[in-house]
Amino acid sequence: MKNHPKNRWQDSVAKTLDPVARLVYRSNLIGEDPTLTNTGGGNTSSKITEKDPLTHQDAEVLWVKGSGGDLRTAKRDGFSSLYMEKLKGLQKNYLGSKTKGPKTQIEDDMVGAYAHCTFNLNPRPSSIDTPLHGFVPARHVDHTHPNAAISLAACAKGKELTKEIYGDEVIWTEWQRPGFDLGLILEKLCKDHPKAKGAIMGQHGLINWHEDDKKCYELTLELVGRAAEAIEKKDRGEKTFGGEKYKSPGEKERKALWLSILPWLRGKVSSQQRMIGTVQENATILRFVNSKDAPRLAEMGTSCPDHFLRTKIKPLYVPWDPATGDVAKLRSLLQEGLEAYRADYKKYYEKCKRKDSPAMRDPNPTVVLIPGLGMVAWGKSKSESRVTAEFYNCAVEVMRGAEALDGYINLPQQEAFDIEYWQLEEAKLRRMPPEQELARQVIAVVGAGSGIGKETAHRLAKEGASIVCVDLNEKAAQETSAELVKKLGEGIGVAGRGISGCGPAIGLGANIVDRKSVAEMLGEAVYAYGGIDGVVVTAGIFVPPDLEGRIPDEKWAQTFAINVTGSYVVADEANKIFKAQGLPASLVLTTSVNAVVAKKGSLAYDTSKAAANHLVRELAIELSPLVRVNAVAPATVVQGSAMFPRDRVMASLAKYKIPFSEKEGDEELRTRLAEFYAKRTLTQSPITPADQAEAAFLLVSGKRFPRTTGQVIHVDGGLADGFLR
Ligand SMILES: [Zn+2]
């Protein structure tokens, strides 16, 4: 049955595992199934008898998924371990406090006390849900956020429906913010209903328990399955969300529409800080945004507490009619919608804030819904925006279920606010390491398949940028992007249509002398990330001359086409995106020291690079004040360069009368030539791709030389002949 979770437990695997590893195994099985829980949501536990490292006596230890991470990817180190006796002992402190109950100071203080219950110096901080697991007496506990169960939890008649579906096996509990007190409520529930197997936690999720771990997992599946079946029975089919109001244009037109508004929209939602986007336009999302009820339901916002921090209290929905295809109208609706949204958010903050609430955060929406097109979600990184999109996908499923069963109700605003602006959440945000220098930036590196370009892609990714690796050789571009993703990880969050579901880097092919190819490449980058903040062009060509130092006319034309026109075309196309975004941007070209040194033997290359130097200056004027344009001018970078194939290396060695043997390997020959070049420089050291990448990073970053534009920086080891004057 659709949405019915599948049992994936394998005894042959489980029996090889120790009790903690079995918990990790069970957790991953749950986390990998999107019908059971969302990224970062839910937690699992086992109470396990361990040897105390000091007394060597048996101790009851609660292993429970800790703070941070998620069930899908959690390993053993993602779980905290606490002495049961000490954890239970905290009840005395809590109950002894004069003021207690949800949202009291003692509740938040208890979180600090969990560290004192740690077994065996486990450094993983305990989650806020630890008492839920500790105070339910059963040995194994699963707490999940399944869309089907939350549908039930987010119904006006949730309590009655729970009884109808589960009888006395699952008990309803009213919404309450997670914490120590909720643990006590669950403990009492287990005492009052000794036969109960679980509870639906109002507007939150599901919790269930068992003495056996496999049976606990199977129970989770069964309970979620029963909720899913109840929903399917009442599924409204065509009438879902009140039925269809708008029709989506075809795939191609949809994409063209997305591309025509994304950079502009990104500029608007980045009015306080830059955001990275994820586009979602699958059938489920399209059915929702195209429906009659979408405006009413969107206004009600999401219902699962761990969603608010990313999706905000509600999305921005604009009532655009896709049948008109009127982009100008869409823009004006978005503009009005954004202004109203920000004002509304401020109102919500002012109305709900408490004496000690943290300052108001960015009032821009993180989820934007457009009839006909779908959804774009925004976050501080690609991974975060994917999580945001995933959470709103979940919210749509929850609303579908709740509307089918009965009617969807949202969490009261104050409750949502008390989660969004919880002091404990604020403390978590403050503990996060400062953002990297290029965080929130999307930078395309054209020529990323090899040499300086590849090195630059790695250098910029290390500073936190999302990287669009571009090369004439698409496979090479994809190899570089795969290296980056491997190094940095995909991140979390399962969402995004096609390339928009990407990680921190993508690889694309483009021919920079072909404007259409460049425009298509930039379009893919925009669809993947929402926009672009910088472009570094390292692509270039050196055609080796014949013995007289000449090259054929068509090669001359090709040299100018790639080294001058190509950079111009990339700049011109990228500038359309920069202008639409209205955010400061940066362009870094690659010229050469040869541009200013007149000599024999490379007439076409040298004059093309001289033209490129002037292109930098002209573009700096043309694209100001929004875009800074600078260039790096390398000299004789031999290592890893596609411009120094074996033939050219040997020709150069012969030209400088440096002895070599044809039997020597490529690297040996290159090293010999690089050492010769190094000796000609003032710093007497070889010039590497890493030196060039460093300069490209300094110029592209808006923080290092924010007031430098129209400049060419030589990275040549110091060549007096190349001094600019
Ligand atoms: Zn939860």
Side-chain angles (χ1 to χ4, degrees), residues 263-276 338 342 362 364-365 378-379 440 533 581-583:
W264 174 85
L265 181 57
R266 177 171 185 245
K268 298 287 168 197
V269 298
S270 301
S271 62
Q272 285 205 352
Q273 45 190 352
R274 278 175 213 254
M275 292 291 188
I276 308 271
L338 283 164
R342 292 180 199 127
D362 191 340
N364 282 296
W378 303 98
R440 301 171 179 274
D533 304 286
Q581 281 179 164
L583 302 169

Side-chain angles (χ1 to χ4, degrees), residues 194-271:
K195 291 215 174 101
K197 297 172 177 174
I200 291 284
M201 299 156 76
Q203 276 147 325
H204 180 167
L206 172 69
I207 184 166
N208 50 266
W209 47 81
H210 205 285
E211 286 305 312
D212 178 83
D213 57 355
K214 179 185 173 184
K215 294 217 168 89
C216 188
Y217 168 72
E218 288 173 346
L219 179 64
T220 302
L221 302 188
E222 185 205 320
L223 298 180
V224 174
R226 277 158 76 179
E229 270 163 42
I231 293 167
E232 294 319 319
K233 257 188 230 155
K234 294 191 182 170
D235 184 67
R236 298 196 180 169
E238 300 266 288
K239 287 266 154 259
T240 297
F241 302 131
E244 188 180 74
K245 183 171 179 191
Y246 301 111
K247 281 217 183 310
S248 282
E251 175 123 27
K252 249 196 174 157
E253 290 123 289
R254 241 176 22 232
K255 189 152 183 186
L257 283 164
W258 271 123
L259 296 186
S260 67
I261 57 149
L262 273 174
W264 174 85
L265 181 57
R266 177 171 185 245
K268 298 287 168 197
V269 298
S270 301
S271 62

Side-chain angles (χ1 to χ4, degrees), residues 37-38 40-43 128-129 132 143-145 178 182 201 204-206 304-306:
T37 207
N38 56 291
N43 26 58
I128 191 84
D129 285 339
L132 275 185
H143 163 52
T144 50
H145 294 165
L182 193 57
M201 299 156 76
H204 180 167
L206 172 69
C304 191
D306 60 353

Side-chain angles (χ1 to χ4, degrees), residues 154 203 299-303 313 408-413:
Q203 276 147 325
E299 186 62 25
M300 290 170 81
T302 57
S303 200
I313 174 100
Y408 176 70
I409 54 163
N410 54 336
L411 204 56
Q413 278 203 350

Side-chain angles (χ1 to χ4, degrees), residues 176-211:
Q176 182 169 314
R177 190 171 80 174
F180 203 85
D181 203 72
L182 193 57
L184 294 175
I185 289 175
L186 261 294
E187 185 176 47
K188 184 168 184 302
L189 183 147
C190 291
K191 212 179 272 166
D192 295 346
H193 304 271
K195 291 215 174 101
K197 297 172 177 174
I200 291 284
M201 299 156 76
Q203 276 147 325
H204 180 167
L206 172 69
I207 184 166
N208 50 266
W209 47 81
H210 205 285
E211 286 305 312

Side-chain angles (χ1 to χ4, degrees), residues 356-419:
D356 57 349
S357 289
M360 189 177 89
R361 303 199 185 108
D362 191 340
N364 282 296
T366 56
V367 176
V368 178
L369 305 172
I370 306 171
L373 295 191
M375 156 173 82
V376 56
W378 303 98
K380 66 177 179 180
S381 65
K382 184 64 202 179
S383 170
E384 282 291 316
S385 79
R386 280 205 319 264
V387 179
T388 307
E390 179 193 331
F391 285 4
Y392 205 74
N393 282 336
C394 291
V396 168
E397 262 306 279
V398 165
M399 289 186 277
R400 179 186 73 88
E403 289 283 291
L405 286 170
D406 169 30
Y408 176 70
I409 54 163
N410 54 336
L411 204 56
Q413 278 203 350
Q414 187 67 52
E415 290 299 319
F417 180 90
D418 289 341
I419 296 263

Side-chain angles (χ1 to χ4, degrees), residues 2 240-241 244 246 248 251 254 279-291 372-375 393 396-397 400 496-497:
K2 201 179 139 221
T240 297
F241 302 131
E244 188 180 74
Y246 301 111
S248 282
E251 175 123 27
R254 241 176 22 232
V279 175
Q280 189 82 63
E281 40 169 338
N282 55 355
T284 322
I285 284 291
L286 288 177
R287 176 168 69 174
F288 180 69
V289 297
N290 290 341
S291 73
L373 295 191
M375 156 173 82
N393 282 336
V396 168
E397 262 306 279
R400 179 186 73 88
R497 164 96 168 189

